[in-house]
Amino acid sequence: MSNLRVGGEGTLQARPPLLKLSNIVRSFMEGGRQREVLRGVDMELARGEFVALLGPSGSGKSTLLNLVSGIDAPDGGHLEVDGVRLHELSERERTRFRRDRIGFVFQFFNLVPTLTVEENLLLPLELKGAVGKDDRARALGLLDRVGLADRAEAWPDRLSGGEQQRIALARALVHRPSLVLADEPTGNLDQQTGAVVLDLLVELLRDAGTTLLAVTHAPEVASRMDRVLSLRDGRIVSPPDGPARQTQSDGPARQTETTP
Ligand code: ADP
Ligand code: MG
């Protein structure tokens, strides 16, 4: 069912991609010389698609997420997210874009320790503009969805890691982003807690039709995505054994299937 969310309006391919990167290049100075971290990255994510991004440490995964969120700008290439041509925007415009359209889930939760749970949840809405009564109701509704309705007044550091990440999930969605970027979302949780967070992540984003790009090393996470991509030598490669879901449910290497 999850793959047919846009069935009434046509196939996934019939709509413009939510995310489109063409020949993205990004270099950094390292020891007095340029190192090309991203050397022509091409990728597309359909609206509502879940994609895992794998790659060795230092391969440029975080760099790529920073470009997609508009925190950083590419040295070359085209980068379009939700119809916005990010590579043409100023830093100020990219900040606006990020606040409006992007939700983040981090490995270390990144809740603001001096704000209550509810205040943390309202933060993305405040950055976007004034917070109304409906917004507050929405935040509390999401808190309920992650099973923590009774913790609205709590301080984040009084909560367990799993609870903090459930709050962070609610926070990532409160402003109705079109894209959620997750960097090792279960990386700092034990297996059981990670499974609970993963279930919630999948459920909440599928319900909202939100697109997900998740950097992860965890097979449990990758197996819940629609597709798996790897970053190698500055470029995107699909793993030779195909999308994670097929590998999981249909056994390895169904060569007749192709990735869009
Ligand atoms: P990953 O997330 O895959 O582990 P990163 O994207 O964090 O990798 O980093 C890729 C490479 O780019 C590393 O060599 C890192 O040192 C370098 N790098 C990333 N950001 C910067 C920056 N702002 N300034 C200089 N070098 C950077
Ligand atoms: Mg990283």
Side-chain angles (χ1 to χ4, degrees):
M1 187 190 115
S2 55
N3 275 330
L4 300 174
R5 283 178 314 282
V6 295
E9 300 161 45
T11 64
L12 282 172
Q13 286 89 339
R15 303 182 67 189
L18 187 282
L19 178 95
K20 185 171 163 65
L21 276 66
S22 313
N23 201 21
I24 289 293
V25 176
R26 185 71 174 106
S27 315
F28 295 109
M29 284 302 279
E30 215 175 73
R33 35 184 299 223
Q34 290 284 104
R35 177 163 115 76
E36 236 182 23
V37 174
L38 303 179
R39 318 166 57 129
V41 168
D42 295 308
M43 66 192 274
E44 275 188 31
L45 268 62
R47 196 171 283 272
E49 195 176 22
F50 284 14
V51 171
L53 181 63
L54 313 184
S57 178
S59 60
K61 304 181 296 297
S62 296
T63 299
L64 188 61
L65 290 192
N66 286 343
L67 294 174
V68 167
S69 68
I71 288 173
D72 188 22
D75 298 320
H78 285 206
L79 169 49
E80 196 167 320
V81 182
D82 201 13
V84 175
R85 294 156 65 87
L86 270 183
H87 57 280
E88 293 176 351
L89 300 188
S90 67
E91 185 169 359
R92 196 192 178 94
E93 290 166 328
R94 294 201 311 269
T95 299
R96 174 96 241 155
F97 159 88
R98 179 165 64 256
R99 289 174 173 177
D100 284 348
R101 318 256 184 131
I102 305 289
F104 291 97
V105 182
F106 303 95
Q107 179 173 1
F108 296 103
F109 327 132
N110 292 21
L111 299 176
V112 180
T114 53
L115 299 178
T116 64
V117 164
E118 183 181 342
E119 288 164 349
N120 267 280
L121 281 185
L122 292 175
L123 207 52
L125 295 165
E126 274 161 9
L127 291 172
K128 213 171 155 171
V131 176
K133 218 172 165 181
D134 291 352
D135 291 329
R136 197 164 173 269
R138 173 170 171 76
L140 294 175
L142 276 166
L143 197 55
D144 194 36
R145 286 289 303 273
V146 299
L148 294 169
D150 56 337
R151 308 313 298 272
E153 303 305 320
W155 300 105
D157 63 4
R158 307 308 295 264
L159 304 175
S160 69
E163 287 170 333
Q164 289 188 51
Q165 196 63 312
R166 281 148 66 193
I167 305 289
L169 282 183
R171 182 183 59 178
L173 288 169
V174 74
H175 56 306
R176 297 189 167 86
S178 39
L179 175 66
V180 166
L181 301 173
D183 204 340
E184 295 285 359
T186 61
N188 199 39
L189 302 172
D190 64 62
Q191 197 155 22
Q192 202 176 351
T193 309
V196 171
V197 164
L198 181 60
D199 281 346
L200 274 172
L201 174 75
V202 169
E203 183 186 316
L204 288 174
L205 269 74
R206 290 286 188 211
D207 278 3
T210 310
T211 310
L212 173 64
L213 180 59
V215 166
T216 186
H217 290 103
E220 311 85 74
V221 177
S223 72
R224 300 287 290 277
M225 303 293 116
D226 300 311
R227 262 190 309 147
V228 175
L229 300 173
S230 292
L231 202 47
R232 290 215 186 275
D233 302 323
R235 293 197 179 83
I236 294 288
V237 295
S238 294
D241 56 350
R245 181 166 286 173
Q246 286 174 27
T247 308
Q248 283 279 312
S249 55
D250 303 339
R254 280 198 19 189
Q255 302 293 351
T256 51
E257 301 270 343
T258 54
T259 310

